[in-house]
Amino acid sequence: MTALSRLALAGLFCLSLAACATQPVDTTPPPAKRLDAKTTLEGRR
């Protein structure tokens, strides 16, 4: 019985350690490219 409880405790510890080790994926899009003054003036024609 003690071996089973130790195995369960070790399994829970490994799962919690693995959950903390992974990082969420950044899914935000990159910022839009800013236009400089020359591009803005040329685009208004």
Side-chain angles (χ1 to χ4, degrees):
M1 184 68 173
T2 59
L4 184 61
S5 63
R6 285 185 181 178
L7 182 63
L9 186 61
L12 288 174
F13 177 73
C14 288
L15 284 176
S16 65
L17 187 64
C20 293
T22 58
Q23 295 180 352
V25 177
D26 185 19
T27 58
T28 57
K33 185 177 178 183
R34 294 197 54 180
L35 300 176
D36 59 351
K38 181 180 178 185
T39 309
T40 305
L41 288 174
E42 290 176 351
R44 289 189 180 177
R45 290 184 188 177

